[in-house]
């Protein structure tokens, strides 16, 4: 046992990242599995809601993407509450996905010890841009473009500009941040780069053509939703669910109780056992050391002690 502990300590000195959670190896209980499932569902649900809005607008109104803009279709659709509910749910899922992706990027650079002020600022600006973009999308849906009040029409225009400008900004910044992460395969990087660049291109073409390029506005909204909807690929490779759960459970920044063994690198007993912090810890009698339960270890030690005592007593009698 002493030799094994010495080898572990030497390995940890040789590998500085051994004490850090490895990419894609987060372990946990049922709570962790449910959290990881939600992490994968949020972007998919958000993408489905936004594309579903476009589908309802075109099918219910009997229009094509060449005939009208998204803004005008939102104003003409009745009942408007049905569309607004889908947009608000979709925007909420997109915002949650953005926050999770922001945490994931920070965790990656913390593990690799490649944190820098530039990366943190770019990551923060990107997250803020995407959140603001979907707030702007909610504004352009909530305030119709053909309203009688000029202030309402102005709010709609502001929401439209915010959405199209900041969504493109997020796509570009996310591409830059993604290129800094080495754990993702090249194919996923290419896909997550082509979609935001296509979104920016369609947005620019629509800004130039205006009324003659309605189809590019529809394509911008769809491509951008698909871009965020593909983020489960990134979460599958590196879920970072422990840090994300701590953030949403308001436990971010809290120190976990370290174990007494120095070779465990200050990691908590729950982390070492691969269990979720919100689950009850199992009893000491159920834990194992080299395949032995604590009861078996104690019983074996007691038997050895009794045997040694008997052998000493018998040896003393023989001497006499």
């Amino acid at each position: 046992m002493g030799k094994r502990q010495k080898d572990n300590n030497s390995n940890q000195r040789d590998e500085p990242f051994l004490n850090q959670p490895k990419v894609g190896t987060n372990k946990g209980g049922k709570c962790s599995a449910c959290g990881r499932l939600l992490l994968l569902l949020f972007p998919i649900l958000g993408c489905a809601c936004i594309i579903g809005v476009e589908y309802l607008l075109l099918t219910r109104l009997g229009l094509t993407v060449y005939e009208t803009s998204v803004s005008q279709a939102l104003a003409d659709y009745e009942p408007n509450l049905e569309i607004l509910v889908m947009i608000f749910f979709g925007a909420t899922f997109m915002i949650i996905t953005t926050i999770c992706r922001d945490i994931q990027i920070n965790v990656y650079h913390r593990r690799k010890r490649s944190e820098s002020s530039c990366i943190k600022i770019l990551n923060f600006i990107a997250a803020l841009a995407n959140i603001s973009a979907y707030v702007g999308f909610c504004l352009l849906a909530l305030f119709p473009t053909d309203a009688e009040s000029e202030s309402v029409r102005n709010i709609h225009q502001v929401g439209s500009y915010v959405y199209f400008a900041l969504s493109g900004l997020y796509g570009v910044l996310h591409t830059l941040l993604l290129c800094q992460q080495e754990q993702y395969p090249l194919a996923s990087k290419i896909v997550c780069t082509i979609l935001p660049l296509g979104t920016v291109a369609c947005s620019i073409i629509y800004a130039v053509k205006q009324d003659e390029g309605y189809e590019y506005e529809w394509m911008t909204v769809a491509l951008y939703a698909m871009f965020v909807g593909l983020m489960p690929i990134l979460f599958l490779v590196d879920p970072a669910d422990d840090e994300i759960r701590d953030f949403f459970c308001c436990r971010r920044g809290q120190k976990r109780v370290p174990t007494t063994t120095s070779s465990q690198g200050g990691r908590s007993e729950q982390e070492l056992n691969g269990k979720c912090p919100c689950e009850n810890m199992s009893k000491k009698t159920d834990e194992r050391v080299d395949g032995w339960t604590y009861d078996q270890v104690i019983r074996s030690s007691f038997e050895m002690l009794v045997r040694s005592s008997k052998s000493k007593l018998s040896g003393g009698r023989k001497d006499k």
Side-chain angles (χ1 to χ4, degrees), residues 196-267:
L197 294 181
T199 302
V200 174
C202 291
S203 181
I204 294 174
I205 294 174
Y206 173 69
V208 173
K209 289 191 172 183
Q210 290 294 326
D211 295 342
E212 298 179 357
Y214 289 141
E215 65 272 19
Y216 293 102
E217 183 186 15
W218 292 88
M219 289 176 62
T220 299
V221 176
L223 287 176
Y224 190 52
M226 291 171 60
F227 163 60
V228 181
L230 287 176
M231 285 190 180
I233 299 175
L234 307 180
F235 291 134
L236 279 173
V237 177
D238 183 14
D241 48 359
D242 293 336
E243 293 80 2
I244 293 173
R245 182 176 60 247
D246 289 345
F247 176 84
F248 286 104
C249 294
C250 301
R251 294 183 302 206
R252 192 176 184 181
Q254 294 183 4
K255 294 184 179 179
R256 296 174 181 176
V257 179
T259 56
T260 56
T261 306
S262 59
S263 64
Q264 294 169 346
R267 296 171 63 190

Side-chain angles (χ1 to χ4, degrees), residues 91-105:
T92 301
F93 292 141
M94 294 297 194
I95 290 173
I96 294 175
T97 302
T98 304
I99 296 173
C100 294
R101 179 69 180 132
D102 173 81
I103 296 172
Q104 185 191 41
I105 293 173

Side-chain angles (χ1 to χ4, degrees), residues 44 53-54 56 61-62 91 94-95 102 125 128 132 146 155 187 248 284 296 315 319:
I44 296 174
V53 166
E54 290 193 323
L56 286 178
L61 297 177
M94 294 297 194
I95 290 173
D102 173 81
I125 294 175
L128 185 62
S132 301
D146 57 354
I155 294 175
F248 286 104
K284 285 290 183 180
Q296 291 174 338
D319 293 338

